[in-house]
Amino acid sequence: MNLYKSWNDMVVDYVKTKGEKAFWEEYSKVEGGIYRKILDNPYEKFTYRISDLAKEMKTTDEFVMGFTDGVNDSLNTQLDLENIGADDEITLDINLEKLYYNMLDAKADYLYEIPAWENILTEEKREEIQKELKDSRTVRNENKIGRNDPCPCGSGKKYKKCCGKVS
């Protein structure tokens, strides 16, 4: 069985046996520790073997694979997660702005509030990324239908007499 599948199976089993809250408590400790290590030297590519990093972080290979899965969307070149083994050397080329954005999107305050971010992205840049995320979640109806416009359903009636009728 590959490590990526083991990670996914472990999550399901962990949540079933110990609960979702317990899973997130343990995972966030591991993830937060690894990110603090990365953000101490943010402009250097981070290289590791899953098994070695797991020993260093006092956790399992599966939890480090989970970190690798989580960071993958923030890389300049994504990894083929299905083919990564515990002893393969992995080098992360992280896009720091994308990483910050993804941490905000995941609502992972324990990550995007790591103090090292203050030395990596200016306050203005962090606010700009927050605004970009907020704007991406805002739905805008560009084609507002007027009361007297033809109904978009194709009935031939005015919108106010058809789908826009108020009861």
Side-chain angles (χ1 to χ4, degrees):
M1 177 179 350
N2 73 37
L3 190 54
Y4 183 68
K5 182 164 179 10
S6 293
W7 152 245
N8 285 299
D9 291 347
M10 185 274 299
V11 171
V12 171
D13 187 53
Y14 198 107
V15 170
K16 278 183 186 174
T17 57
K18 298 180 182 175
E20 191 171 342
K21 185 177 186 224
F23 168 78
W24 283 110
E25 283 176 7
E26 185 167 345
Y27 179 71
S28 63
K29 273 190 255 174
V30 171
E31 186 181 38
I34 296 171
Y35 276 121
R36 277 189 278 292
K37 186 175 173 62
I38 289 171
L39 295 177
D40 282 345
N41 297 300
Y43 302 106
E44 293 178 18
K45 291 184 180 180
F46 186 70
T47 301
Y48 63 100
R49 283 185 168 71
I50 288 181
S51 58
D52 294 341
L53 189 55
K55 286 177 192 153
E56 182 182 338
M57 302 306 295
K58 297 177 176 60
T59 190
T60 65
D61 291 353
E62 287 82 7
F63 272 104
V64 175
M65 184 67 206
F67 157 78
T68 306
D69 181 17
V71 75
N72 201 32
D73 286 337
S74 302
L75 302 179
N76 289 317
T77 304
Q78 290 194 346
L79 304 168
D80 179 7
L81 298 173
E82 303 260 344
N83 291 310
I84 292 176
D87 295 318
D88 294 339
E89 187 171 272
I90 300 167
T91 299
L92 304 179
D93 182 15
I94 300 173
N95 179 322
L96 294 168
E97 289 182 18
K98 195 172 188 182
L99 177 63
Y100 189 76
Y101 179 96
N102 289 337
M103 288 175 171
L104 288 169
D105 191 31
K107 297 180 177 80
D109 57 339
Y110 64 97
L111 297 176
Y112 64 76
E113 291 178 354
I114 292 174
W117 279 115
E118 294 171 16
N119 300 321
I120 299 167
L121 300 173
T122 65
E123 185 176 346
E124 293 79 19
K125 188 62 178 176
R126 292 192 312 268
E127 287 172 2
E128 179 185 317
I129 293 169
Q130 290 170 4
K131 184 180 180 325
E132 181 184 331
L133 176 64
K134 184 180 176 193
D135 289 349
S136 74
R137 293 180 174 168
T138 303
V139 178
R140 291 186 176 85
N141 185 355
E142 298 295 326
N143 301 326
K144 187 167 176 142
I145 304 165
R147 290 176 23 89
N148 291 315
D149 291 342
C151 191
C153 76
S155 67
K157 296 179 181 179
K158 289 184 178 184
Y159 180 69
K160 68 181 178 186
K161 296 277 187 183
C162 191
C163 295
K165 190 174 188 175
V166 181
S167 302

